[in-house]
Amino acid sequence: MCGIVGYVGPRRALDVVVEGLRRLEYRGYDSSGVAVIGADGLQVAKKAGRIENLDKELATRSITGSTAMGHTRWATHGAPNDRNAHPHTDASGRVAVIHNGIIENFGALRAELERDGVELVSETDTETVAHLVAAQLEAQGGSLADALRAVCRRLQGAFTLVLLDAQEPDVVVAARRNSPLVLGVGDGETFLGSDVAAFIEFTREAVELGQNQIVEIRRDGYVITDFDGKPAEGTPFHIDWDLTAAEKGGYEYFMLKEIQEQPAAVRDTLLGHLVSGQIVLDEQRFDQQELRDIDKVFIVACGTAYHAGMIGKQAIEHWTRVPVEVEMASEFRYRDPVLDRQTLVVAISQSGETADTLEAVRHARDQRAKVLAICNTNGAQIPRESDAVIYTHAGPEIGVAATKTFLAQVAAVELLGLALAQARGTKYGDEIIREFDDLCSVPDAIAEVLTVVEPVRALAREIAQSKTILFLGRHVGYPVALEGALKLKELAYMHAEGFPAGELKHGPIALIEEGLPVVVVMPSPTGRPLLHQKMLSNVAEIKARGARTIVISEADDSAARNLAAHFIAVPSVPTLLSPFVTTVPLQVLAAEIAQARGCDVDKPRNLAKSVTVE
Ligand code: AGP
């Protein structure tokens, strides 16, 4: 998730673009850069780190012009450094490109370019586009838009691409597929942005581009076509938001926007991991035999990431039959765990800087265990100190409470389970592809849940003043119950507790009293009939004692619906994928209760987004 700005018009284009990047910095801040066409041709400036670093670089340059584009990067492929910062150019410097998304087939494209003698200077997928478009212009002539259309027809994956051509100084050309891009239409000037925050101070007339569309913007307007060159339409709209609202996509809090971004976070995390029927990881420095030799897995993490690990345990053990222990990172090294070269330690951390998890990684390395990181921050300390990495692609998560990074972590740890099953042969190739396809269907299921959460918001306002709320689950529903309780604690400062439902009768049932809200995460009645039956008994037991039963289950689970004071229906998905859909109502419940209690949803008291002290 990166920030993109484009501009053609009478203003000093550099100022418009850099100011726009400042407003989009929440979309990514690993590096930033600009490209401008003016009297001195096409000029590029880019620096790793925050925009202040780009400002310092620009202060040493004299870059003027009225056609420009800019980019703030959230690194996916290639560490966050100057070399990998956008824009990228072809060897001659004629074509510059910036990109948001993931080009799944960039490996094959890089290999083709290298065979043609092209020297690529970065590790990014983006740079391949600059060389391909320049080669297209060289070979076929035509316009930049023609060349980009031809190249886009070869790209797989999700992308927003924006390009400049030194030989077409009055136009900015862009393309989009499964990645955001909007136009701003001014008087004698036209803008591009990954969202309207990029240009809202200049115009409130916008046009949203559709899938597989190319747009050329000029001072006097824009032209839209599809990838084959046929005329196409965008969707015009008037922007009602103010600047602050625009940065939050119109939501009052970043977290509410991030809850809505979860389908894309999961989809982007899975992109590119199935190549020719094989699961591939992002970065892996141990071979298939080493994966086969693994006889024990530890998952170490904190907080929400720990809950993702609990779900990962169920998937990895079910698919590989390798024993998995999930450990609080802060406890792991102090209990002197038994580790050796056949142990795989999986460190899950969205920030990649959590001190407890980092120290657990260091301890594992000291004991010669192999370490794999699951991280949302490219180049962070934990992935840097690991043997292998799976990056989640949730984009920056501004809200302190983890939401989209949690579901992305679950996707990544289940992906790891498939990679281990593939290496060990505990699942056939066709079974792995089927499981991966099931995973890829999850974003739609999450999106479906997001369309029906209004009743959850109403319920939240009803129970917002409860003294506590309990959460029950079994199997993969138990970590979901823990996550629901954690969200409520950290967002609404309300006591909450998650239990494995089977534990109720061993003590916690004494807490049940008239009207006490109890959230129950049901197993699938078809996927886990025995577990479902036992859970029905648990719900009946607490209902008989006066609990206000809030039950999450598949829509056709009539038995659960009959026991529910409030029934929250979710789509039917395979058991190991059910956390993707059962978690979302709990995130919404906690956020709504927090708002009803006047809490700051994005910045809960006493908390930090990354806990860099033990
Ligand atoms: C989650 O909502 C919390 N903000 C917190 O528990 C978080 O998950 C934990 O601190 C781990 O952070 P990490 O993923 O960056 O390592």
Side-chain angles (χ1 to χ4, degrees):
M1 181 160 122
C2 304
I4 282 179
V5 187
Y7 177 72
V8 184
R11 303 172 199 268
R12 198 169 125 74
L14 188 61
D15 295 347
V16 173
V17 164
V18 172
E19 205 37 49
L21 291 181
R22 247 185 269 284
R23 288 202 203 89
L24 295 178
E25 214 179 2
Y26 65 87
R27 296 179 62 91
Y29 33 76
D30 289 331
S31 63
S32 61
V34 293
V36 182
I37 299 182
D40 299 324
L42 192 157
Q43 298 187 76
V44 170
K46 57 186 185 176
K47 288 302 278 184
R50 309 294 294 234
I51 286 186
E52 290 74 33
N53 297 350
L54 179 63
D55 285 338
K56 291 184 191 123
E57 170 70 12
L58 291 170
T60 68
R61 310 271 293 272
S62 161
I63 297 179
T64 59
S66 56
T67 303
M69 64 182 184
H71 183 272
T72 56
R73 184 174 184 234
W74 185 259
T76 51
H77 291 95
N81 54 33
D82 291 0
R83 190 160 41 84
N84 290 328
H86 300 207
H88 291 280
T89 65
D90 70 299
S92 73
R94 171 181 173 182
V95 173
V97 62
I98 58 179
H99 167 222
N100 179 18
I102 298 163
I103 296 170
E104 283 189 65
N105 61 329
F106 89 96
L109 296 171
R110 275 184 79 103
E112 176 193 310
L113 288 164
E114 284 163 346
R115 279 197 303 276
D116 294 346
V118 173
E119 186 193 345
L120 290 111
V121 298
S122 78
E123 300 138 44
T124 66
D125 50 348
T126 308
E127 187 189 348
T128 58
V129 175
H131 295 296
L132 290 169
V133 169
Q136 183 72 23
L137 286 167
E138 194 62 32
Q140 307 294 330
S143 70
L144 177 59
D146 294 333
L148 183 56
R149 277 189 281 267
V151 170
C152 283
R153 291 194 291 268
R154 302 186 59 198
L155 302 182
Q156 296 165 20
F159 52 81
T160 295
L161 294 164
V162 184
L163 287 86
L164 295 183
D165 175 356
Q167 295 182 21
E168 288 189 65
D170 303 324
V171 68
V172 180
V173 180
R176 77 162 293 257
R177 174 191 292 158
N178 269 338
S179 180
L181 185 65
V182 287
L183 279 72
V185 184
D187 181 7
E189 55 187 3
T190 312
F191 305 80
L192 283 172
S194 29
D195 63 47
V196 298
F199 51 74
I200 191 171
E201 75 172 281
F202 300 108
T203 179
R204 287 180 173 272
E205 300 314 315
V207 177
E208 187 169 356
L209 279 193
Q211 283 290 56
N212 295 340
Q213 289 188 344
I214 299 272
V215 64
E216 301 167 65
I217 67 165
R218 293 178 173 82
R219 286 191 182 213
D220 60 357
Y222 60 91
V223 174
I224 300 174
T225 71
D226 64 15
F227 284 178
D228 295 320
K230 295 191 189 70
E233 297 292 320
T235 309
F237 64 97
H238 178 79
I239 306 165
D240 297 321
W241 300 329
D242 62 20
L243 174 59
T244 308
E247 289 174 343
K248 296 170 187 166
Y251 293 93
E252 187 175 357
Y253 294 103
F254 277 110
M255 182 188 147
L256 305 183
K257 175 169 169 262
E258 286 153 5
I259 287 174
Q260 300 295 327
E261 290 172 343
Q262 294 186 111
V266 171
R267 180 175 54 243
D268 292 350
T269 296
L270 296 169
L271 267 181
H273 283 292
L274 186 71
V275 179
S276 311
Q278 293 291 303
I279 299 287
V280 293
L281 304 185
D282 283 313
E283 295 170 23
Q284 180 176 187
R285 293 184 280 279
F286 35 77
D287 61 30
Q288 294 295 298
Q289 188 53 52
E290 288 175 309
L291 282 177
R292 277 191 288 277
D293 293 343
I294 287 166
D295 59 12
K296 178 71 181 270
V297 175
F298 283 96
I299 299 177
V300 295
C302 303
T304 291
Y306 174 80
H307 301 149
M310 291 174 72
I311 295 163
K313 166 189 169 69
Q314 306 285 358
I316 294 172
E317 288 187 338
H318 186 65
W319 289 333
T320 70
R321 308 315 297 157
V322 172
V324 179
E325 286 190 45
V326 190
E327 301 247 357
M328 286 286 181
S330 54
E331 290 290 312
F332 180 66
R333 68 193 181 114
Y334 298 111
R335 72 166 191 75
D336 196 12
V338 177
L339 305 171
D340 59 30
R341 293 177 188 279
Q342 274 69 49
T343 309
L344 174 67
V345 172
V346 180
I348 304 179
S349 173
Q350 72 82 18
S351 64
E353 301 295 347
T354 298
D356 289 321
T357 311
L358 178 58
E359 290 308 325
V361 163
R362 287 171 175 163
H363 180 76
R365 299 297 302 266
D366 291 347
Q367 304 299 312
R368 300 281 181 273
K370 294 177 184 58
V371 177
L372 179 141
I374 291 177
C375 186
N376 195 52
T377 311
N378 197 306
Q381 196 65 28
I382 290 172
R384 282 209 304 270
E385 297 194 23
S386 300
D387 298 299
V389 189
I390 299 175
Y391 281 111
T392 54
H393 295 296
E397 188 171 66
I398 310 301
V400 165
T403 49
K404 61 178 182 175
T405 56
F406 173 58
L407 293 195
Q409 286 168 349
V410 176
V413 72
E414 295 201 352
L415 191 62
L416 171 63
L418 293 178
L420 288 171
Q422 172 180 279
R424 308 169 67 83
T426 49
K427 285 184 88 67
Y428 296 123
D430 56 339
E431 293 173 318
I432 286 171
I433 292 170
R434 258 200 313 280
E435 296 285 1
F436 187 81
D437 288 346
D438 283 347
L439 262 174
C440 292
S441 66
V442 154
D444 289 343
I446 300 169
E448 186 181 330
V449 177
L450 288 169
T451 62
V452 294
V453 288
E454 199 45 50
V456 177
R457 293 197 181 94
L459 168 63
R461 291 189 287 272
E462 279 182 41
I463 61 176
Q465 302 312 323
S466 306
K467 67 179 182 180
T468 184
I469 296 178
L470 304 185
F471 294 76
L472 305 182
R474 285 178 179 258
H475 192 248
V476 290
Y478 169 37
V480 172
L482 292 176
E483 177 60 13
L486 175 61
K487 285 286 149 307
L488 201 50
K489 281 183 268 195
E490 61 179 334
L491 290 169
Y493 320 148
M494 177 195 277
H495 178 262
E497 201 162 346
F499 297 104
E503 272 301 287
L504 257 182
K505 54 190 170 300
H506 301 290
I509 200 165
L511 292 170
I512 306 297
E513 57 191 29
E514 188 59 35
L516 178 72
V518 180
V519 176
V520 180
V521 182
M522 292 297 292
S524 162
T526 50
R528 303 302 308 267
L530 175 61
L531 217 46
H532 180 264
Q533 195 51 50
K534 293 192 181 304
M535 190 62 121
L536 286 176
S537 304
N538 295 142
V539 181
E541 286 158 12
I542 60 173
K543 184 176 173 65
R545 290 164 175 79
R548 186 172 184 174
T549 50
I550 300 164
V551 180
I552 301 175
S553 191
E554 296 173 5
D556 60 1
D557 186 353
S558 53
R561 193 185 287 267
N562 293 338
L563 290 169
H566 304 272
F567 186 77
I568 300 170
V570 293
S572 171
V573 296
T575 290
L576 288 171
L577 307 186
S578 60
F580 288 107
V581 295
T582 54
T583 303
V584 174
L586 303 188
Q587 296 167 337
V588 172
L589 186 78
E592 197 67 28
I593 290 177
Q595 293 175 85
R597 292 164 71 106
C599 302
D600 182 334
V601 170
D602 280 341
K603 302 185 182 73
R605 69 185 181 195
N606 309 335
L607 292 178
K609 186 61 186 170
S610 173
V611 182
T612 53
V613 291
E614 274 198 288

